[in-house]
Amino acid sequence: MRFNAKDLALLAKRPSCCFDKEGKLKICRVVGDEKLIEPRERWCRLKGNLLFLMKNKSSEASEVVILERCWVVEFKSKTDVSIILKFQSGEPDLYIEAASKPDCEAWAVALGEANSEGLRNKIQQLRRLIMEIKEERASEEAHQFLPSSQVDSLGEPQFTSIQRIANEPKLEFSLACKGLVAATRDRKLNTFIQVSVVHPAEHILTRYSSTEIVEGTRDPLFLTGVTFPPEYPIYEETKIKLTVYDVKDKSQDTVRTSVLPDHKEPRADVGRSFLGCATFRVGDLVKSKEQQLTLTLRTSDGGKTVGTIEVNLVKMGEFEDGEMDHITTDAQDQKCALVRECTAPEGLSGKDNLPSLNAVLKNPICKLYRFPTSDNKWMRIREQMAETTLSFHVPKELINLHIKEDMRRNQELKDLGELAPHWDNMRKSVIAHCDQMLSMYQDTLAELGKHTGSSFKSSCSKGEKTLEFIPINLHLQRMHVHSPRLKDALYDVITVGAPAAHFQGFKNGGLRKLLSKFEAERRNTGYQCIYYSPENTAKAKEVLSNINHLQPLISSHADLLLNSASQHSPDSLKNSLKMLSEKTELFVHAFKDQLVRSALLALYTARPGCVLKKPAVPRSSAEESDDLKHQDHSSQIKRQDSIPHHSEYDEEEWDRVWANVGKSLNCVIAMVDRLLEKDNSSKTKEGESDPSAADCKVLHAGGDWYEQLYPLVITLKDCMGEVVTRAKQSMAFVLLQELACGLPQCLMLTLRRDIVFSQALAGLVCGFIIKLHTSLHDQGFLQQLHTVGLLVQYEGLLSTYSEEAGMLEDMAVGISDLQKVMFKVIEAKSEDFLPIITGRREHYVIEVQLPAKMFELLPQEIKEGKLLRMYPVLFNVGINEQQTLAERFGDTTLQENINQENLELLKEYYNLFTEKMPPDCLPHFQEQNDLKGLLENLHQNIQAKRRKNVEIMWLAATICRKLNGVRFTCCKSAKDRTSMSVTLEQCSILRDEHQLHKDFFIRALDCMRREGCRIENVLKNVKCRKYAFNMIQLMAFPKYYRPPEGTYGKADT
C-alpha cells in the first residue's frame, strides 16, 4: 500500500476531538512469547483503522499501525491490563499495556472494531435493528385501526392464551433448514439457530435459546427443539425470531459458551457468521392445519433469499413410531439425538407430590431427548436438574442446634461449683474459648439469615467464610425414561461438591488425619488434665442429653399421676403410672455406668481444700482392674498417673443416691396397687348399699388417693433431682477435661467437623426426601426402609494429591458421621413441609413431614414413628491429572483404605438385608447380575489396586441401585468431573437397562454433555458454558470421562 507521509503527519497532529480514542499505552513488538524490547510508553491516537504511536502528546507520530487483517487477544485474568494485537501477515505481534483494567478493556473493544470488518458488522447490526423497528411499527399501525378502549385493553397482558395440558409446556417445536446458501460455493456449512422472542406487550427482542451445531450439510435437521415452560408468558400474539448462523470453528465459537446481555449482538470474528433470519407468530403455528410452518430465510437487508426453515409443533406425550429410519438417514453426520427443554417429569409434578416437593426443589432445568433402541424404536428421555432449598435450611437448623447445645454446655461448666485454683483457671480458659466459638456460630447464623436469592452455593463461593456450612452446588439430577416396550423408569443422583472445610484450608490435611493426630497428642498431655477416651466423652454427652430429655418427661408424668389421683380415675392412674415407670427406668439405666462413679471421684479431688491421704502411684492395667473389683475404682480414667482413691470419699454414696430413685418408684407403684385394690373391694361392698352414700365415699377416697400419693411423688422428684445434680456435674467435669486437654485445637476441630457434617447432612436429607417421594407406592422398599435401613452410596472423584487429599479426608469423616443420623416420618400439620431437625452432635433425628394423603400410604411401623437408620458408604477413584501424579510419584493409600473400609460396611448391609428381607423386594433390572457376584467383583477390583480403576464406581453404583439405595456423585465442585460421571452413568443405564442402540451410545453421551442439564449447571456456577478442562488434563482422564470438542476450555471456578 502507498501512503502520503505528509498527510499522515498532519492527521496525527489534529485536535483530540477528531480521534476515536487516545491515551498513554506501553507498547512493544512480540515474537512468539518473547518481547523484542521492554515496553515503552507512547501516546496513542486511534482514527478509523489507523493507530498513531507518538513519544508524547505534542511530538510527531513515530509509527503508524494499520488495523486490517488483525485481531485482538485478551487475557482472562482479572489482574491483567495488557492485550496483544496479532496480524495475519505474520509480522511481529504488538504488545499493548494500559494503566488499568477498564482502560485495557476499552482499548480492546476500540481496536477490535477499528477494521473494515468491524464496520461491516456495525452496518449489519443497524440493518437488523431497522427490520425489527419496521416490525414494531407494523404492530403499532394495526393499533391505529382499533378504538382507543381496545388499544388500552391490549396494553394490558390480555392476550390469547395457548391451550395446553396442566403441568405441560405451553409450546414446543422442532426446527429444520433446507437449501441454505453458503457465502462461498465450496464451503460446507456448520449451522445452528438462535431463537429470540418478541413479547407483544413490550416489543422487545429477548434471546431465548439455541439449537446444537449441525455440521457439513446445507439441509440441517436440528435435533434440539425449543420449549416454553408453563409459567413463561407466551401467547398467540407473541412473535418468534429465528436467526441462522454458520460456525467456522466450534472451539472458537465463544458466543454459545458465554453469557451476553440480551441487547448485544456477538462480533462476527468470534467464530461464526450471519446467514439469514425469519419471524413468525405463535398463533400461526398453533392454528396451522398441519401444525407446521415453512418460512423463507432472508439476509439482514431483507432482500436475498438464503434458504427455508421448517417449524414443526411438537406434542411431548406422543411416541414417534416408525420414524427411526428417516431420522437416522437425515442425521447421519450429526452428533446429537433429539434434545428439547421441557418441564418437570411426571414423578415431580403429581398432584399429591407437588406441594411437599415444591418446598424442597426449586428452579428446575429440564431437557428432553429421543434415542433409538436396538429394535429400531424410539425411546424418550427426560432429564431434570433442580436445586434445593435444603442447601440453606438444613445448615441453619444445625447451627441453631449447635448454639443451643454449646450454651447449655457453657452453663453446665459454670454450674460445676467451686473448684481448686488449678481447675478453676482451666474452667475459665475453656469458657472464654467456648464463648468465642459460640459468638462465631451466632454471627454465621445471622449472615445466613440475610441470604436471599438462589437456593444453591456456586463453586465460585466455596471459599467464602459466611457460606462454609452450605453444601457446594447441591442439585438433584434425574433421568426419566419412557420406553415403547419397557416400563417407565426413574433414576436419581444427588450431585454435590465434596463436603469439606474449604475456608479453613488443607495445609495440614483433612479431618481424618487431624483427628488422629489430635487424639495421639491428647493422650500425652501430662498432668494438666485427666485423659478420657473419645468413647467416654461421647458417653458423657449422651448422659447429659438423656438427663435433659428425661427429667422434664418424668416430672410431667408424675404430675399427671397426681392429677389422675385427684380425679379418682383408676384407668387414667394406671396409664400415668405405666408412662412414669417406663421413663424412670430409662432414667435409672442411663446412670448405670462406671464412668459416672469415676467422674464423681475425680470431681471430688478437684474441689478446693481436698487433701489426699494416699500418694499418687502409677499403676498397671492389671492393678486397675483389681481396683475395679475390690474398690469400685474406675479403670476408664487414665493419665500419666491414674486418679488416686481418696480415703475420705464415700464411693457407696452415689450408689445409694442412684438406688433411691428406683426405691421411690417402687413405693409409688406399691401405693397405686394398694389404692386400686382397695377401690375394687369397696366397689363390691358398696354395690349393695345406698348409692348416695357410695358417691360421698368416692369423693372422700379421691382426696385420700392424692394425699397418699403426693409425699411419695415428691420424694421421687427429690431423689431424681439429687441424681441429676451430681450426674450433671460429673459429666460436665469430663467434658471440661476433653476441652482443656486440647485448647484451642479441640474447638477448631469441632468447628471443622460441624462444617463438613452440615454439608453432608444437607445432601442426605435431600436424597432421603426424594427417595421417599418416588417410592411411596413401593411396599418392598418401605418394608426395607423400616426393617433394615437405607443404603446411601457416595461416589467420589477426588484425587489423593495436594489439597484434594485433604478434601477426601474431610469427606470420609463427614460421610461416616452420617451413620449417627436417624430419620422419622411424621404427618404435616401445616403447609410448611420442610424437615425438622432435633438432637445434638453425634445424635440427630430428622423429622420428614408428609401431607396426610401421602402419610397414609406408609406402613404402620413408620407411621408410629419408628426411627429409620442410614448406612452411608463412600467409594473414591481419582480420575484427573493430579491422580496421575499421586499414582506415579505420591501415595494412594488413603483412597485404598477408604474403599476397603466401606466395602466392609457395604457387605455388612448386604448381609443384614439378606437376613431380614425377601429377595422379591429388589428392583427388577434388565441386566440381572447376582448381587453376591457384584460384591465379589467389587472386592476383587478394590484389591487389584489398578490405576484409575473406574470400574469400582460403576460396580458400587449398580449395587446401590439394586439395593434400593440413594446415589450421590461428588467431586471438588460437583461441576466438571461430576458432570462427566453423571452423564456416563445415565447413558450406561440406557444401554444396559433400556436397549439403547449401540451405535448411538457415544452420540447420546456427547448430546447430554453438550446440550443437557449439566452444561446448564456449569453456566449457573461460572457464567460460562464450558467445562473447566484443558487438553493436557483430558489426556490423563479415562476415555469415557472426556467431554466433546468445543465444550471445554479455560473457565474460572
Side-chain angles (χ1 to χ4, degrees):
M1 297 177 68
R2 293 181 179 179
F3 300 98
N4 188 320
K6 291 182 179 179
D7 289 345
L8 287 175
L10 287 172
L11 180 60
K13 289 185 176 181
R14 297 188 69 181
S16 298
C17 60
C18 299
F19 291 91
D20 301 328
K21 188 170 180 62
E22 66 175 351
K24 285 184 180 179
L25 295 172
K26 289 185 178 180
I27 290 179
C28 71
R29 290 287 180 175
V30 178
V31 176
D33 294 329
E34 295 185 5
K35 299 172 185 174
L36 297 180
I37 59 172
E38 282 300 311
R40 295 178 180 176
E41 192 174 90
R42 292 285 183 264
W43 183 263
C44 301
R45 290 184 148 188
L46 178 66
K47 178 65 176 176
N49 62 351
L50 299 176
L51 179 65
F52 296 96
L53 308 181
M54 308 159 68
K55 289 185 178 179
N56 54 59
K57 192 173 182 178
S58 58
S59 67
E60 294 187 356
S62 59
E63 186 179 352
V64 181
V65 180
I66 301 168
L67 303 175
E68 290 295 338
R69 296 183 181 180
C70 62
W71 65 94
V72 177
V73 177
E74 297 182 48
F75 295 98
K76 299 294 184 183
S77 172
K78 295 180 181 178
T79 57
D80 271 324
V81 292
S82 59
I83 56 176
I84 288 181
L85 204 59
K86 289 183 174 288
F87 299 89
Q88 282 186 351
S89 61
E91 65 179 287
D93 301 338
L94 193 67
Y95 173 85
I96 301 173
E97 183 179 322
S100 65
K101 185 66 176 176
D103 195 25
C104 178
E105 291 174 350
W107 274 104
V109 172
L111 295 172
E113 295 177 350
N115 55 23
S116 55
E117 190 175 355
L119 185 61
R120 282 195 296 271
N121 291 339
K122 283 185 179 179
I123 294 170
Q124 288 183 357
Q125 187 175 353
L126 287 171
R127 282 174 173 168
R128 287 195 289 272
L129 185 61
I130 290 168
M131 287 180 64
E132 289 160 11
I133 292 171
K134 285 180 180 178
E135 290 174 1
E136 290 179 16
R137 284 182 177 174
S139 176
E140 289 170 4
E141 288 169 3
H143 276 64
Q144 293 175 4
F145 296 97
L146 296 173
S148 58
S149 59
Q150 280 186 268
V151 172
D152 293 338
S153 65
L154 282 176
E156 301 295 322
Q158 296 176 356
F159 301 104
T160 310
S161 298
I162 301 170
Q163 294 182 355
R164 63 180 183 86
I165 303 170
N167 296 322
E168 290 292 308
K170 280 188 176 179
L171 177 70
E172 286 188 311
F173 56 85
S174 59
L175 300 166
C177 292
K178 288 186 178 179
L180 295 179
V181 178
T184 58
R185 183 174 298 178
D186 297 332
R187 167 147 178 83
K188 288 186 176 181
L189 294 174
N190 303 323
T191 52
F192 77 94
I193 298 177
Q194 181 176 288
V195 182
S196 303
V197 178
V198 182
H199 295 281
E202 295 134 346
H203 305 295
I204 296 174
L205 190 72
T206 304
R207 189 176 305 169
Y208 185 73
S209 67
S210 298
T211 66
E212 83 282 11
I213 299 171
V214 178
E215 301 179 36
T217 177
R218 300 191 180 196
D219 300 317
L221 175 67
F222 295 100
L223 303 173
T224 308
V226 182
T227 185
F228 293 90
E231 65 276 7
Y232 194 87
I234 190 168
Y235 309 95
E236 289 188 8
E237 293 82 4
T238 302
K239 288 184 179 180
I240 294 177
K241 181 181 178 182
L242 306 172
T243 308
V244 183
Y245 290 97
D246 175 24
V247 177
K248 301 172 185 175
D249 182 359
K250 283 195 297 183
S251 63
Q252 295 296 321
D253 182 26
T254 56
V255 176
R256 298 187 73 247
T257 56
S258 60
V259 179
L260 289 177
D262 290 336
H263 62 279
K264 287 192 176 181
E265 284 292 330
R267 304 199 309 265
D269 59 351
V270 293
R272 72 182 194 176
S273 60
F274 173 83
L275 284 182
C277 62
T279 305
F280 70 93
R281 286 176 72 255
V282 170
D284 295 340
L285 175 62
V286 173
K287 294 178 179 178
S288 62
K289 188 174 181 181
E290 298 178 353
Q291 297 190 328
Q292 176 182 321
L293 295 177
T294 302
L295 309 172
T296 301
L297 283 170
R298 297 187 181 276
T299 54
S300 55
D301 57 5
K304 186 180 178 182
T305 300
V306 292
T308 60
I309 184 167
E310 291 183 357
V311 185
N312 290 280
L313 193 66
V314 173
K315 293 184 179 179
M316 291 197 325
E318 297 178 355
F319 278 111
E320 301 159 283
D321 296 325
E323 293 185 8
M324 183 194 158
D325 293 338
H326 168 69
I327 297 295
T328 306
T329 303
D330 289 350
Q332 193 66 38
D333 298 324
Q334 301 172 22
K335 295 195 175 179
C336 285
L338 178 62
V339 184
R340 292 193 300 271
E341 295 184 354
C342 64
T343 51
E346 294 87 350
L348 286 183
S349 57
K351 290 182 179 179
D352 293 337
N353 288 7
L354 202 56
S356 54
L357 275 179
N358 279 347
V360 174
L361 298 178
K362 296 292 179 185
N363 301 328
I365 295 173
C366 303
K367 305 285 181 178
L368 182 67
Y369 313 88
R370 66 174 180 183
F371 299 134
T373 61
S374 55
D375 57 354
N376 296 331
K377 298 290 183 182
W378 288 107
M379 61 175 161
R380 191 179 70 217
I381 297 94
R382 297 169 181 248
E383 185 187 27
Q384 182 194 21
M385 181 184 71
E387 61 193 53
T388 171
T389 55
L390 298 175
S391 290
F392 282 83
H393 173 75
V394 170
K396 286 195 286 188
E397 290 283 300
L398 265 184
I399 296 172
N400 196 32
L401 288 176
H402 293 332
I403 291 171
K404 291 178 180 177
E405 182 181 347
D406 291 351
M407 290 176 70
R408 205 162 44 236
R409 177 198 59 201
N410 289 1
Q411 188 58 46
E412 287 162 355
L413 291 175
K414 293 173 184 176
D415 292 342
L416 268 175
E418 195 175 358
L419 297 175
H422 166 72
W423 299 106
D424 194 46
N425 291 335
M426 183 184 292
R427 172 171 60 177
K428 288 177 181 176
S429 175
V430 166
I431 290 174
H433 280 86
C434 289
D435 284 342
Q436 289 179 6
M437 295 300 294
L438 185 60
S439 176
M440 192 279 298
Y441 280 102
Q442 290 169 335
D443 292 345
T444 301
L445 185 61
E447 288 298 319
L448 290 179
K450 298 175 186 175
H451 179 84
T452 56
S454 178
S455 300
F456 89 110
K457 170 182 165 184
S458 73
S459 63
C460 299
S461 305
K462 60 176 170 280
E464 290 187 20
K465 178 170 175 54
T466 55
L467 299 177
E468 58 185 345
F469 284 84
I470 310 300
I472 302 165
N473 196 16
L474 174 60
H475 283 82
L476 165 69
Q477 176 80 19
R478 165 167 288 184
M479 182 174 70
H480 200 158
V481 184
H482 303 259
S483 298
R485 295 182 180 176
L486 301 174
K487 188 178 179 181
D488 286 6
L490 205 63
Y491 302 92
D492 290 340
V493 179
I494 307 297
T495 61
V496 63
H502 290 273
F503 177 78
Q504 295 192 22
F506 308 96
K507 184 178 179 181
N508 299 313
L511 275 172
R512 193 175 168 108
K513 181 187 292 182
L514 292 171
L515 288 171
S516 176
K517 182 180 177 183
F518 173 74
E519 189 57 33
E521 290 175 350
R522 203 160 71 89
R523 290 175 182 272
N524 302 312
T525 51
Y527 295 89
Q528 294 300 313
C529 57
I530 305 166
Y531 172 75
Y532 288 92
S533 68
E535 294 76 19
N536 280 337
T537 53
K539 181 65 180 177
K541 292 173 185 176
E542 183 183 345
V543 169
L544 286 171
S545 176
N546 287 334
I547 290 172
N548 294 325
H549 174 67
L550 292 173
Q551 187 184 14
L553 283 178
I554 293 171
S555 295
S556 65
H557 287 309
D559 292 338
L560 287 173
L561 183 75
L562 291 176
N563 188 47
S564 300
S566 65
Q567 294 177 1
H568 198 272
S569 172
D571 291 338
S572 177
L573 194 67
K574 288 177 184 177
N575 291 333
S576 299
L577 179 64
K578 181 183 177 184
M579 296 301 294
L580 178 64
S581 300
E582 289 176 358
K583 298 302 177 186
T584 307
E585 286 173 10
L586 288 174
F587 179 83
V588 171
H589 182 74
F591 302 109
K592 193 176 181 180
D593 194 283
Q594 186 68 22
L595 177 64
V596 181
R597 300 174 75 248
S598 60
L600 280 169
L601 169 58
L603 178 60
Y604 181 82
T605 61
R607 297 296 185 193
C610 174
V611 180
L612 298 177
K613 295 187 177 180
K614 290 188 178 182
V617 181
R619 293 175 290 177
S620 66
S621 59
E623 290 173 327
E624 287 180 359
S625 65
D626 188 62
D627 281 347
L628 182 61
K629 295 177 184 176
H630 298 95
Q631 299 179 14
D632 288 329
H633 194 282
S634 171
S635 63
Q636 296 181 11
I637 302 179
K638 293 180 182 178
R639 183 178 160 187
Q640 295 299 85
D641 58 329
S642 298
I643 291 296
H645 174 74
H646 193 272
S647 59
E648 294 182 354
Y649 178 68
D650 185 2
E651 293 187 29
E652 294 181 359
E653 184 182 0
W654 166 250
D655 293 335
R656 289 194 294 271
V657 171
W658 172 60
N660 283 341
V661 177
K663 292 177 181 177
S664 299
L665 177 64
N666 290 336
C667 291
V668 172
I669 294 171
M671 179 57 71
V672 170
D673 290 342
R674 195 178 309 129
L675 292 174
L676 291 174
E677 186 179 346
K678 284 183 180 179
D679 183 64
N680 289 333
S681 61
S682 63
K683 280 182 179 179
T684 305
K685 293 178 181 178
E686 289 164 2
E688 303 168 2
S689 61
D690 184 26
S692 60
D695 289 342
C696 294
K697 287 181 180 180
V698 165
L699 290 172
H700 179 67
D704 289 344
W705 280 17
Y706 181 84
E707 290 169 5
Q708 292 181 62
L709 277 174
Y710 180 76
L712 299 177
V713 169
I714 293 300
T715 302
L716 174 62
K717 286 185 176 182
D718 289 343
C719 292
M720 185 177 64
E722 180 69 17
V723 168
V724 165
T725 301
R726 297 192 182 209
K728 265 192 172 183
Q729 289 184 343
S730 65
M731 295 299 97
F733 190 71
V734 173
L735 297 186
L736 175 63
Q737 308 309 308
E738 180 201 27
L739 294 167
C741 284
L743 282 178
Q745 294 92 337
C746 178
L747 292 175
M748 293 307 297
L749 278 176
T750 300
L751 170 63
R752 189 182 190 105
R753 200 164 187 171
D754 287 345
I755 290 168
V756 174
F757 179 76
S758 171
Q759 296 177 26
L761 183 64
L764 176 65
V765 175
C766 176
F768 179 88
I769 291 175
I770 298 301
K771 183 67 177 178
L772 184 64
H773 278 76
T774 54
S775 305
L776 274 173
H777 298 280
D778 185 346
Q779 293 303 314
F781 167 76
L782 294 174
Q783 182 186 351
Q784 175 186 350
L785 183 61
H786 72 79
T787 306
V788 184
L790 182 65
L791 177 66
V792 185
Q793 186 254 324
Y794 289 80
E795 174 185 304
L797 298 161
L798 295 171
S799 70
T800 54
Y801 185 81
S802 188
E803 285 194 344
E804 287 199 7
M807 295 176 204
L808 182 56
E809 289 180 346
D810 274 359
M811 182 181 179
V813 173
I815 290 172
S816 177
D817 285 346
L818 295 177
Q819 296 177 33
K820 299 162 187 173
V821 176
M822 307 289 274
F823 280 80
K824 181 180 179 182
V825 185
I826 61 173
E827 184 177 349
K829 302 299 181 184
S830 68
E831 294 301 312
D832 182 7
F833 297 106
L834 288 173
I836 302 165
I837 305 177
T838 59
R840 58 177 176 82
R841 288 182 181 90
E842 301 180 0
H843 190 274
Y844 288 106
V845 175
I846 316 298
E847 296 181 353
V848 176
Q849 303 187 83
L850 289 183
K853 288 183 180 178
M854 297 172 67
F855 187 75
E856 287 303 314
L857 299 173
L858 297 173
Q860 192 61 33
E861 292 87 346
I862 298 180
K863 287 197 283 187
E864 289 174 355
K866 184 174 181 179
L867 295 179
L868 310 173
R869 285 198 62 186
M870 300 295 109
Y871 290 85
V873 293
L874 165 65
F875 294 95
N876 186 85
V877 177
I879 62 171
N880 65 356
E881 77 287 354
Q882 289 189 324
Q883 186 62 21
T884 303
L885 294 174
E887 289 170 341
R888 294 186 179 178
F889 310 110
D891 184 13
T892 60
T893 307
L894 173 63
Q895 176 175 286
E896 292 163 7
N897 290 343
I898 287 173
N899 289 345
Q900 186 59 49
E901 291 165 11
N902 285 273
L903 174 64
E904 297 306 316
L905 293 174
L906 183 58
K907 287 180 177 178
E908 179 185 325
Y909 180 84
Y910 171 73
N911 292 333
L912 193 63
F913 179 90
T914 52
E915 286 174 15
K916 296 188 176 183
M917 294 297 297
D920 59 355
C921 73
L922 290 174
H924 295 285
F925 288 98
Q926 289 297 308
E927 187 182 331
Q928 287 295 339
N929 286 326
D930 178 56
L931 264 172
K932 194 171 182 180
L934 287 171
L935 277 168
E936 182 58 33
N937 197 356
L938 178 61
H939 174 77
Q940 291 172 3
N941 275 277
I942 290 173
Q943 293 298 318
K945 299 181 181 179
R946 295 206 316 266
R947 291 178 178 177
K948 294 183 182 176
N949 187 4
V950 291
E951 194 170 347
I952 290 174
M953 297 188 296
W954 301 344
L955 288 166
T958 303
I959 293 168
C960 175
R961 285 194 299 271
K962 288 180 179 292
L963 285 170
N964 288 316
V966 177
R967 282 272 300 108
F968 281 77
T969 299
C970 312
C971 65
K972 182 165 68 173
S973 301
K975 177 172 62 70
D976 304 304
R977 280 171 281 178
T978 294
S979 296
M980 299 302 103
S981 177
V982 164
T983 49
L984 177 59
E985 181 177 353
Q986 290 180 167
C987 289
S988 298
I989 290 171
L990 294 177
R991 177 194 61 199
D992 299 337
E993 307 293 343
H994 298 277
Q995 302 174 6
L996 172 66
H997 197 290
K998 62 180 181 179
D999 295 338
F1000 277 75
F1001 179 80
I1002 298 299
R1003 289 175 63 178
L1005 193 59
D1006 285 355
C1007 183
M1008 286 184 174
R1009 289 171 177 174
R1010 189 187 295 276
E1011 307 292 342
C1013 290
R1014 297 313 302 183
I1015 199 72
E1016 301 291 341
N1017 182 269
V1018 174
L1019 179 65
K1020 283 179 72 172
N1021 279 276
V1022 296
K1023 311 302 179 189
C1024 176
R1025 291 178 183 271
K1026 280 197 174 183
Y1027 301 109
F1029 303 130
N1030 59 45
M1031 186 60 73
I1032 296 175
Q1033 286 176 309
L1034 292 178
M1035 288 171 65
F1037 275 48
K1039 178 182 176 181
Y1040 290 113
Y1041 288 83
R1042 299 171 187 171
E1045 181 188 358
T1047 62
Y1048 58 88
K1050 186 176 181 182
D1052 293 332
T1053 182

